[in-house]
Amino acid sequence: MSFLLRRLGFYLLAFWASITLNFLLPRLMPGDPVTRMLSRSQQRLEPQQVESLRTLMGVDGGPIIPEYFGYLGRILTGDFGMSISRFPTPVSEVIASQLPWTLLLGLTALIFAVILGNLLGILAAWRRGGFLDSVAPPLLVFIGSFPYFWLAMGALYIFGINMGIAPMRHAFSVGLVPGFNLEFILDVAAHLVLPALTIVLISLGGWMLGMRNTMIATNSEDYILMAEAKGLRPQRIMLNYAARNAMLPSVTSMGMSIGFIVGGALLTEVVFAYPGVGYQLLGAVQGLDYPLMQGMFLTITAAVLIANFLVDLVYVRLDPRVRKG
């Protein structure tokens, strides 16, 4: 319990630091967001309208301490302000409409990458020096060296443009009414294949190498030798003894890799015009929509911190020794 309380305190401190940074960035930049936004859009507004925009964005030049506590209060109540590019829609509504698609893409890619990567690592280590152990690691590491967006553009060009067997954009077909029915679910799954596949291919090599190296070290432990001496079946030793103990570092790596998966999903969304947080973030940057950018930054930060805390809960469950810390 003390371990979880310490970790919870760390995550709360990290979230407070991200909120503070989010508050300070627009105020530390030269000029102010409203002036930059108006100069880029070449719109002419009355002075009263400009001041209203500054007040709306919280950069009206008032005392910074009261502004900061007011900002904290709004964040804790879920009030991120109004979106400039989609005015008068609140930022929270914009994020709520895009976040499920990013979670669907990121979690699907993460689950497949973890399962396939760990399984390949277990098999490669158990039959060390075999065909799988000799071919798969260098091949997957080579594929993983490519940037997310480069592999996504390559997959889009080959399977979408040349072969025409995969949807090229969006999360579902144009004209299809969203609903919880088989037609819509299958269409969403078809649009999900290419974006998720690019993220899985990039991260698969790391998962496989991590599990392979841990399994090799685990295979030399005394309890593995004891299990072999007892005459237990190789499959039972591999899964129940070696793989179960080798999974602990992978659980920790899962928490750390969530941030990379989210980052990869953001870039992949832009390539495939996938209507998630990443694609919306690009529009916010192009439109200088500072409230929306700030809200998305905090949302992504909170999602990564919450996911890491959940991983810590799983780790405590898998390794009882941590509970004594």
Side-chain angles (χ1 to χ4, degrees):
M1 182 60 69
S2 60
F3 170 78
L4 292 179
L5 290 177
R6 289 197 303 269
R7 300 299 292 175
L8 179 61
F10 168 77
Y11 292 131
L12 291 176
L13 181 62
F15 186 60
W16 169 79
S18 65
I19 292 177
T20 304
L21 181 64
N22 209 29
F23 170 80
L24 292 176
L25 277 179
R27 292 157 179 82
L28 294 178
M29 296 174 65
D32 65 81
V34 174
T35 302
R36 290 192 296 273
M37 181 183 66
L38 294 178
S39 63
R40 182 170 179 176
S41 62
Q42 297 181 351
Q43 293 181 350
R44 293 185 177 274
L45 298 178
E46 297 295 329
Q48 296 84 355
Q49 295 174 316
V50 175
E51 290 301 321
S52 298
L53 277 177
R54 287 197 175 100
T55 303
L56 178 65
M57 298 177 66
V59 291
D60 52 356
I64 192 169
I65 299 301
E67 279 189 6
Y68 176 68
F69 285 105
Y71 180 76
L72 286 179
R74 292 193 299 271
I75 292 300
L76 294 178
T77 57
D79 181 12
F80 297 103
M82 293 289 181
S83 171
I84 303 299
S85 59
R86 300 180 62 174
F87 189 84
T89 308
V91 170
S92 56
E93 291 186 13
V94 177
I95 296 176
S97 65
Q98 309 295 330
L99 186 60
W101 296 111
T102 295
L103 292 177
L104 175 64
L105 175 59
L107 291 178
T108 300
L110 180 62
I111 291 172
F112 275 95
V114 170
I115 294 176
L116 291 178
N118 285 325
L119 182 59
L120 290 174
I122 291 172
L123 296 176
W126 193 253
R127 299 185 177 181
R128 189 178 179 185
F131 177 79
L132 180 64
D133 188 37
S134 302
V135 175
L139 177 62
L140 292 177
V141 169
F142 173 74
I143 296 175
S145 63
F146 292 107
Y148 284 97
F149 67 90
W150 192 92
L151 195 63
M153 289 189 295
L156 187 62
Y157 178 77
I158 295 174
F159 298 104
I161 297 177
N162 279 358
M163 301 179 66
I165 60 176
M168 296 181 58
R169 63 179 65 87
H170 208 56
F172 52 89
S173 300
V174 177
L176 187 64
V177 179
F180 193 73
N181 53 72
L182 184 60
E183 180 185 7
F184 181 73
I185 293 175
L186 292 178
D187 191 73
V188 169
H191 283 75
L192 184 66
V193 170
L194 273 189
L197 181 62
T198 58
I199 301 176
V200 170
L201 288 177
I202 291 292
S203 56
L204 193 59
W207 288 108
M208 179 181 180
L209 282 178
M211 175 54 73
R212 174 189 176 275
N213 295 337
T214 308
M215 275 285 294
I216 290 175
T218 305
N219 288 340
S220 61
E221 295 290 340
D222 293 339
Y223 57 85
I224 300 295
L225 298 176
M226 178 65 70
E228 292 175 348
K230 289 182 176 180
L232 299 179
R233 291 181 299 138
Q235 293 82 358
R236 182 180 178 184
I237 299 175
M238 180 181 66
L239 297 177
N240 292 359
Y241 290 83
R244 182 176 181 180
N245 289 278
M247 282 293 295
L248 293 177
S250 294
V251 173
T252 305
S253 300
M254 185 176 178
M256 294 186 295
S257 67
I258 290 175
F260 296 102
I261 291 291
V262 170
L266 299 184
L267 296 174
T268 305
E269 286 175 6
V270 174
V271 176
F272 288 96
Y274 201 80
V277 173
Y279 187 67
Q280 187 62 51
L281 182 59
L282 175 65
V285 173
Q286 292 175 339
L288 294 178
D289 191 343
Y290 288 90
L292 186 54
M293 285 189 282
Q294 289 178 294
M296 287 183 173
F297 170 75
L298 282 181
T299 301
I300 294 172
T301 303
V304 172
L305 293 176
I306 291 173
N308 275 271
F309 183 68
L310 294 178
V311 169
D312 285 336
L313 293 178
V314 175
Y315 192 88
V316 170
R317 179 66 177 174
L318 292 177
D319 190 357
R321 294 172 298 179
V322 179
R323 305 174 195 172
K324 301 176 183 179

